[in-house]
């Protein structure tokens, strides 16, 4: 019996060792066993190069948590900068033959994607890492408060370590922005003004009122296995990190953007940047997959605006008896009706979110009649983060949620909510992302 157990154990051990060797080989070889393995491996390598992505993926639940003590390297600030050697990937993908029909479709799609990404490499710095909506300065507190786990002492220690690491992280961000400045790539004045407002707003509260500390304190209170004195000690360490590392980093970014504000060229378009028109054409081709020129897009936009305005004027005359000389006059007459608006109160803002959720659920009920894939996750309608709300769009989709800008309810009349809900929710971004 002992011999049987010994041989079974040896066999299992041999299988485990063999699989480990095979997996290691597939991870490092130039051409893995299959195209699917190769593509999955390249995506995984890109994802696992980021400590913050590892945290968001929940690798700490597998006992892998060393990455939780640092932020990203930040030597490359955008996804275009982080892309691997596209030519090498394309060469490897083309080596796979004897593919099934589905695999051939995948191969063609990957080649098309790689070919469309290649021209963007020349314009990888034509962007603003600190921008109004998705800037690294606003993503940092969101990541720390939403993604970094606080479930035990080691989580608190790694949280504090990341607060301290923010100085290195944002120093590299500043280097990246300085590099862009040396290339003549400076954000438009409106972006600089918006970001300056966000940076100042983040460090305006007293240290103890900053979201990085209030969030940590709330989560620590729920940890019964951490003693009261330990919690106080951790809080003081975190407070020192926010005061000594985070706030000074934000102040350095403020100083940087104040300096850029003095030298930024006038205008907001890509044309104001070196090779800006070529960069715009490259990004336009990538996002549309069409050989459409910027002039064509502008002309289409003008024609569509004229067509839609005419339809709106016809409706205003027919249904509301509003007859004015210009489009703006007609719209002002229509929007002067107070019945169109929710009240400027907490209850009114809650009513906006409830109304958008109700419209989304109406469309969800129609999915089986319209699409072959009717099952999509639940969708939340929540208020935009206060840090970015002032400059945020009316609504934007993010991770099974629609963030709604409720700073001014007058810009969200009741008549606009169905279209806005459908665009951001179902059958718009939420449905598209889900399927």
């Amino acid at each position: 019996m002992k011999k049987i157990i010994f041989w079974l154990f040896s066999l299992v051990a041999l299988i485990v060792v063999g699989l480990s060797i095979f997996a290691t080989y597939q991870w490092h070889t130039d051409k893995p066993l299959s195209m699917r393995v190769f593509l999955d491996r390249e995506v995984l390598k890109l994802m696992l190069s980021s400590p913050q992505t590892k945290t968001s993926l929940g690798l700490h639940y597998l006992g892998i948590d060393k990455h939780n003590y640092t932020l990203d390297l930040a030597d490359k600030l955008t996804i275009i900068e982080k892309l691997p050697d596209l030519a090498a990937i394309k060469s490897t993908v083309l080596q796979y033959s004897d593919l099934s029909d589905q695999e051939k479709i995948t191969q063609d799609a990957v080649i098309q994607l790689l070919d469309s990404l290649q021209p963007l490499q020349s314009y990888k710095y034509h962007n603003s890492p600190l921008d109004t909506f998705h800037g690294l300065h606003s993503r940092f507190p969101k990541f720390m408060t939403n993604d970094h786990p606080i479930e035990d002492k080691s989580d608190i220690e790694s949280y504090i370590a990341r607060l301290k690491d923010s100085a290195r992280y944002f120093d590299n961000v500043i280097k990246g922005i300085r590099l862009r400045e040396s290339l003549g790539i400076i954000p438009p004045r409106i972006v600089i003004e918006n970001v300056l407002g966000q940076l100042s707003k983040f460090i305006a509260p007293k240290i103890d009122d900053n979201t990085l500390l209030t969030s940590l304190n709330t989560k620590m209170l729920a940890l019964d296995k951490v003693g009261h004195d330990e919690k106080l000690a951790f809080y003081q360490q975190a407070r020192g990190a926010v005061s000594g590392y985070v706030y000074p980093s934000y102040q350095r970014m403020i100083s940087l953007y104040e300096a850029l504000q003095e030298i930024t060229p006038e205008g907001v378009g890509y044309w104001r940047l070196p090779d800006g028109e070529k960069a715009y054409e490259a990004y336009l081709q990538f996002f549309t997959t069409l050989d459409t020129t910027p002039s064509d897009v502008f002309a289409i936009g003008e024609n569509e605006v004229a067509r839609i305005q005419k339809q709106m004027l016809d409706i205003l005359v027919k249904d509301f008896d509003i007859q004015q000389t210009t489009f703006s006059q007609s719209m002002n007459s229509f929007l002067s009706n107070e019945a169109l608006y929710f009240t400027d109160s907490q209850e009114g803002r809650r009513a906006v979110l409830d109304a958008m959720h109700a419209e989304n659920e109406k469309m969800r009920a129609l999915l089986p009649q319209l699409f072959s894939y009717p099952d999509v996750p639940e969708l939340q309608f929540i208020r935009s983060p206060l840090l970015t709300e002032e400059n945020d769009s009316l609504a934007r989709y993010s991770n099974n949620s629609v963030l709604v800008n409720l700073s001014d309810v007058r810009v969200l009349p009741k008549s606009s909510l169905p279209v806005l809900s459908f665009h951001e929710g179902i059958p718009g971004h939420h449905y598209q992302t889900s399927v």
Side-chain angles (χ1 to χ4, degrees):
M1 185 65 179
K2 290 182 179 180
K3 286 186 177 181
I4 294 175
I5 295 175
F6 172 78
W7 284 110
L8 284 174
F9 178 80
S10 300
L11 179 61
V12 171
L14 184 62
I15 292 173
V16 170
V17 171
L19 290 173
S20 299
I21 294 173
F22 178 75
T24 302
Y25 173 76
Q26 294 297 306
W27 186 260
H28 293 287
T29 185
D30 290 337
K31 183 187 177 186
L33 184 64
S34 72
M35 184 178 67
R36 173 63 182 271
V37 171
F38 171 68
L39 295 175
D40 288 348
R41 185 192 72 179
E42 293 305 306
V43 172
L44 274 174
K45 282 184 176 180
L46 183 60
M47 295 173 65
L48 297 180
S49 66
S50 162
Q52 292 173 230
T53 300
K54 291 180 184 178
T55 298
S56 299
L57 290 173
L59 295 188
H60 47 279
Y61 293 118
L62 302 177
I64 305 171
D65 62 358
K66 186 177 180 180
H67 56 273
N68 279 357
Y69 287 79
T70 61
L71 297 167
D72 288 351
L73 186 57
D75 59 332
K76 300 175 181 178
L77 303 181
T78 64
I79 187 64
I80 297 298
E81 292 178 75
K82 297 174 184 178
L83 288 176
D85 187 338
L86 301 179
I89 293 177
K90 179 178 178 180
S91 176
T92 303
V93 170
L94 288 173
Q95 293 177 35
Y96 289 98
S97 56
D98 298 325
L99 302 174
S100 68
D101 290 342
Q102 183 59 53
E103 288 172 330
K104 289 177 182 177
I105 293 174
T106 299
Q107 186 182 54
D108 290 342
V110 169
I111 296 301
Q112 193 277 331
L113 175 62
L114 294 173
D115 287 343
S116 62
L117 281 170
Q118 191 67 52
L120 302 187
Q121 299 278 21
S122 300
Y123 310 107
K124 59 186 176 184
Y125 298 120
H126 281 67
N127 47 63
S128 302
L130 301 184
D131 65 8
T132 304
F133 300 122
H134 305 289
L136 297 175
H137 64 292
S138 56
R139 283 156 57 181
F140 166 70
K142 180 180 178 182
F143 167 79
M144 292 296 289
T145 56
N146 293 347
D147 290 8
H148 187 101
I150 301 293
E151 298 176 359
D152 54 34
K153 291 181 184 179
S154 64
D155 289 340
I156 302 172
E157 291 168 348
S158 60
Y159 185 90
I160 296 170
R162 272 181 161 159
L163 292 177
K164 295 178 178 179
D165 195 38
S166 65
R168 174 205 58 81
Y169 175 80
F170 283 116
D171 279 348
N172 282 345
V173 170
I174 291 173
K175 288 178 183 177
I177 296 171
R178 287 295 190 192
L179 171 61
R180 287 161 173 77
E181 179 192 357
S182 71
L183 299 173
I185 300 171
I186 303 175
R189 188 175 306 279
I190 187 172
V191 172
I192 292 176
E193 292 173 351
N194 289 341
V195 171
L196 280 173
Q198 293 170 356
L199 291 168
S200 299
K201 187 175 183 179
F202 181 72
I203 63 174
K206 296 178 181 179
I207 297 291
D208 295 298
D209 294 330
N210 187 277
T211 184
L212 293 171
L213 289 177
T214 58
S215 173
L216 173 64
N217 194 39
T218 299
K219 293 173 182 176
M220 284 198 302
L221 289 175
L223 301 181
D224 296 332
K225 293 184 179 180
V226 181
H228 177 71
D229 291 343
E230 289 178 301
K231 291 176 181 176
L232 287 177
F234 279 135
Y235 181 83
Q236 289 303 319
Q237 292 178 44
R239 190 182 190 281
V242 172
S243 175
Y245 295 89
V246 178
Y247 271 36
S249 295
Y250 276 67
Q251 190 57 60
R252 287 194 292 275
M253 288 187 283
I254 289 174
S255 298
L256 169 63
Y257 261 45
E258 286 177 341
L260 293 180
Q261 192 174 28
E262 298 300 318
I263 61 174
T264 185
E266 293 301 321
V268 295
Y270 258 56
W271 51 265
R272 58 192 280 282
L273 305 176
D275 290 326
E277 293 187 5
K278 293 180 180 179
Y280 185 86
E281 289 175 1
Y283 278 99
L284 180 65
Q285 201 283 328
F286 173 75
F287 285 112
T288 65
T289 70
L290 302 172
D291 294 326
T292 304
T293 67
S295 297
D296 291 337
V297 173
F298 185 76
I300 292 171
E302 280 193 317
N303 292 334
E304 283 300 291
V305 168
R307 180 184 65 82
I308 293 171
Q309 284 189 350
K310 183 180 183 306
Q311 288 184 338
M312 293 174 68
L313 285 171
D314 291 343
I315 293 172
L316 290 174
V317 171
K318 179 182 177 181
D319 295 345
F320 299 95
D321 195 29
I322 295 176
Q323 303 186 47
Q324 300 289 346
T325 305
T326 66
F327 176 78
S328 60
Q329 289 174 340
S330 296
M331 287 303 300
N332 287 336
S333 296
F334 174 70
L335 295 174
S336 64
N337 182 358
E338 291 298 321
L340 287 174
Y341 304 101
F342 292 93
T343 59
D344 186 7
S345 63
Q346 287 299 106
E347 293 76 13
R349 287 171 171 80
R350 181 70 256 171
V352 171
L353 299 177
D354 290 343
M356 294 183 72
H357 181 268
E359 294 294 340
N360 186 73
E361 292 307 300
K362 290 179 185 176
M363 186 57 70
R364 181 191 296 276
L366 296 175
L367 281 179
Q369 304 173 37
L370 303 173
F371 299 100
S372 59
Y373 188 85
D375 298 320
V376 293
E378 289 298 317
L379 179 64
Q380 298 183 83
F381 288 83
I382 58 179
R383 185 169 185 172
S384 292
L386 295 180
L387 177 64
T388 59
E389 185 177 57
E390 182 178 350
N391 305 118
D392 224 339
S393 53
L394 285 181
R396 57 187 171 91
Y397 177 77
S398 177
N399 300 324
N400 294 332
S401 298
V402 174
L403 307 180
V404 185
N405 187 336
L406 296 177
S407 58
D408 181 5
V409 293
R410 298 285 296 188
V411 300
L412 289 168
K414 298 174 183 178
S415 57
S416 71
L417 298 187
V419 171
L420 191 59
S421 302
F422 300 154
H423 176 86
E424 300 294 343
I426 299 173
H429 295 311
H430 181 56
Y431 184 79
Q432 293 164 359
T433 302
S434 300
V435 298

